[in-house]
Structure formats: C-alpha cells, structure tokens
Amino acid sequence: MGIFERFLSVWVTLAIIIGVVLGVAYPPLFQWVSALEVAQINLPVAVLIWLMIYPMMIQIDWSAIKDVGKKPQGLLLTVVVNWLIKPFTMALIGWLFFRVFFAAWVDPQSAQEYIAGMILLGVAPCTAMVFVWSQLVKGDPNYTLVQVSVNDIIMIFAFAPIAGLLLGMSDIAIPWQTLILSTVLYVLLPLIAGWLTRRILLKNNRSIAAFTAKLKPFSIVGLLLTVVLLFAFQAETILDKPLVIVLIAIPLLVQTYGIFFLAHGLAKWLKLPREISAPACLIGTSNFFELAVAVAISLFGLHSGAALATVVGVLVEVPVMLSLVWWVNRINRG
C-alpha cells in the first residue's frame, strides 16, 4: 500500500479543512462553480470523478470472466452480500438512526438526505481499493479480479433499479432520468473507456500497470479536489452543526462492521479457504465511494446532505478497512 492509500483518511481530513476554510473565505467562487451544470450534472465535479474512476476501470481484466465458474461459492458470497443484503441493511440502518435514534438532533429534510447518501454508498460495491485490501490479507488476486469484474457488470444493470427502489421506500423523490444518466456517465461509459484503453495497451504491448501508475496522481488530485469542493459548499452547515459529521459516521461504522462480520460468518459456514473468503468479506464491506459521491451530487446537489454523507463515507472507510485487515491477519496467524 502506497503512502497515499495508507494515509487516505489524513489527506481527506486535510481536504475537508481546506474546503471549509475556502468555503467561508470565498463563497462567491463556489456559488459560481455550483452553477456550472448540464442536466443536473455538475461539470467540474464530473471531470474530477472521471479522473478518479477511469484509471480503476483500466485495471479490470474482462478475460477473467471466463473463470467465473471456478470456486463458485466465493463468487456467490460476494454477489449475495453486495446486491441482496448490503443495500437493504444500509437503508435500514440509515432509517433507524436518522428517523429514530437521532430524530431529536436532525431535522426531517436533512435526515432524508443523509439516508439517501447512505443508500447510494450501500448500492455501490468497491471497485479499486479492494485490490489493496485483497493484497494485504494475502487473497487470491485472480479470484479477486473475477469478483470485481462480475460486480461491475451487475452494477450496470442493478445500480439504478436498487437505488431507486430504496430511495422510494425512504419517501425520497426519485429523479429517474438523472439516476439513469448518472449510471451511464459514471459506470457504463468509464467501463467502456477502460476496456478500450486496456485493449489498445495490450495490442501495443504496453504495460497496463505502468500506464495506470502515470494516471494515479490525477486520480488522487480528483479525489481530494472533489472533497474540497463538497466541503466548501457545506462549510456553513458544518460550522453551524459541527456534530453532523459524527452523527453520519456512527451509522456508517455500524453498517461497515456489521456487514463484514455477517459476510465472515457466511464464509465460515460455506467453509471457504482464507484466500477466497477474506477478499470476499472485504469487497462486501467497502464501497465505490467515487460513484456514490457523483450520483449524490447529480441527484441532490453539491450542497446536499446526501453528498456530505457520501464524503463522510470516504473518511470512515479507510481506517475501518485497515482495522478489519489487521483482524483478518491476526485470526489467521492464530
């Protein structure tokens, strides 16, 4: 794990602080940026999200799909946790905390937006960082690749319907046109672009790893600038209600640890080997936060509580995932 991944929470925290300071100091600048929209898609943010997503998609080896029938139980675990359990538990936990436990501290409109952000995180399984987690727990890299590839294919068809269903169940108005457009813009098109780029690189005998390494700085800049923008737009809310970050983080922590240990229990029941079970559990636990952030902005706006909730997901995920990696390695040493 490189220095950026290892200290991702530190960089995100710094970006949050910078965003809040700039948002207070230069509000007209960020009002101008927020107005740069086409079909409810904020253009500067769309560019930054693509900088994050595109390098990840190049790493997906679609030829690995041919191995989908090998060791099907591990793949079944990933699919069931990611698509039949996790989105629904995330929606339930979000509802419980913001409609019941935190109802006295959060107004109904904000609560609705925070739940929406959590739902979008829950419907977006991890695509890139999971390779880092798999490596840290000595997972089977080829099998992890198959799991990620299958998840990405399912995401093309399932993201919008499941997100729409859960948002509707939470009494949140669903702009279907924007949701579908976001899925095409942030899932389908980056996947196609990554596949085409990979084919061109292989045809010309160029290293995929070397090419993506060159793009990595742009991906890092895209992530951090997105966080700066989001928190600049949220600066007034954060200063008025500093505990909001903590309130969002608590249910996200409950969901993250809960889904991991559920997946771990299922893996033990299926008697999966460690190199298959460990990455499968971590895939189900982590989120494709880049996609969640982009869709939250498109559906609810840069200033929304939904966008804020997805960014808090970034802040929470890395330290939690590192703690789970430590736990997996510890129990397997024992």
Side-chain angles (χ1 to χ4, degrees):
M1 180 183 288
I3 189 170
F4 175 72
E5 291 86 356
R6 186 179 298 276
F7 298 104
L8 180 58
S9 292
V10 175
W11 313 136
V12 170
T13 301
L14 290 174
I16 288 171
I17 294 170
I18 292 170
V20 172
V21 170
L22 291 178
V24 172
Y26 304 103
L29 171 63
F30 294 100
Q31 291 170 6
W32 175 76
V33 174
S34 68
L36 300 175
E37 289 187 352
V38 174
Q40 292 184 264
I41 303 294
N42 183 269
L43 296 180
V45 173
V47 171
L48 294 175
I49 296 292
W50 258 77
L51 287 177
M52 288 187 274
I53 296 176
Y54 172 62
M56 303 173 191
M57 298 307 186
I58 299 172
Q59 299 177 59
I60 302 299
D61 182 4
W62 298 106
S63 65
I65 300 297
K66 68 180 185 299
D67 298 325
V68 70
K70 297 179 180 178
K71 304 174 184 175
Q73 287 182 317
L75 187 61
L76 178 64
L77 175 64
T78 302
V79 172
V80 168
V81 169
N82 276 317
W83 298 105
L84 299 181
I85 298 177
K86 180 181 176 181
F88 303 94
T89 57
M90 183 73 95
L92 176 60
I93 289 171
W95 182 86
L96 280 174
F97 274 87
F98 287 110
R99 293 296 190 190
V100 181
F101 303 146
F102 296 159
W105 297 291
V106 181
D107 66 88
Q109 178 61 36
S110 296
Q112 193 174 52
E113 292 187 359
Y114 299 152
I115 293 169
M118 290 185 62
I119 288 171
L120 293 174
L121 282 169
V123 190
C126 189
T127 295
M129 286 296 287
V130 69
F131 293 112
V132 175
W133 312 135
S134 179
Q135 181 182 9
L136 290 176
V137 296
K138 299 179 175 62
D140 182 331
N142 294 323
Y143 200 85
T144 301
L145 189 60
V146 172
Q147 292 171 312
V148 171
S149 301
V150 169
N151 268 327
D152 282 346
I153 290 176
I154 294 174
M155 198 185 309
I156 295 172
F157 304 100
F159 179 84
I162 294 178
L165 171 67
L166 293 175
L167 291 172
M169 290 174 62
S170 302
D171 298 323
I172 298 168
I174 311 161
W176 279 102
Q177 182 178 358
T178 304
L179 182 57
I180 294 170
L181 176 61
S182 297
T183 305
V184 171
L185 181 62
Y186 298 120
V187 180
L188 181 59
L189 292 182
L191 281 171
I192 293 173
W195 174 73
L196 289 173
T197 303
R198 189 180 182 90
R199 287 198 63 181
I200 293 169
L201 291 172
L202 292 173
K203 186 177 180 180
N204 291 280
N205 296 316
R206 293 184 60 188
S207 169
I208 293 170
F211 184 77
T212 54
K214 291 179 181 178
L215 294 177
K216 185 175 180 180
F218 297 99
S219 182
I220 294 171
V221 169
L223 170 61
L224 297 181
L225 285 180
T226 301
V227 174
V228 168
L229 277 180
L230 289 174
F231 279 86
F233 288 117
Q234 298 282 350
E236 184 177 341
T237 300
I238 292 167
L239 292 178
D240 289 342
K241 304 174 182 177
L243 289 178
V244 69
I245 303 299
V246 176
L247 293 180
I248 295 172
I250 291 171
L252 287 176
L253 287 168
V254 171
Q255 161 72 13
T256 305
Y257 281 114
I259 204 71
F260 173 83
F261 286 108
L262 173 63
H264 180 71
L266 291 173
K268 288 190 70 174
W269 178 65
L270 292 170
K271 298 179 180 178
L272 295 176
R274 174 248 178 88
E275 67 272 12
I276 300 297
S277 66
C281 294
L282 294 172
I283 290 171
T285 305
S286 55
N287 304 304
F288 189 179
F289 55 78
E290 297 89 346
L291 173 63
V293 168
V295 177
I297 293 169
S298 299
L299 293 180
F300 302 101
L302 279 161
H303 301 80
S304 67
L308 179 63
T310 57
V311 177
V312 175
V314 184
L315 189 63
V316 167
E317 179 168 318
V318 175
V320 169
M321 294 302 294
L322 287 174
S323 72
L324 292 173
V325 165
W326 171 84
W327 185 83
V328 169
N329 289 331
R330 186 172 185 271
I331 64 169
N332 281 284
R333 280 199 306 267

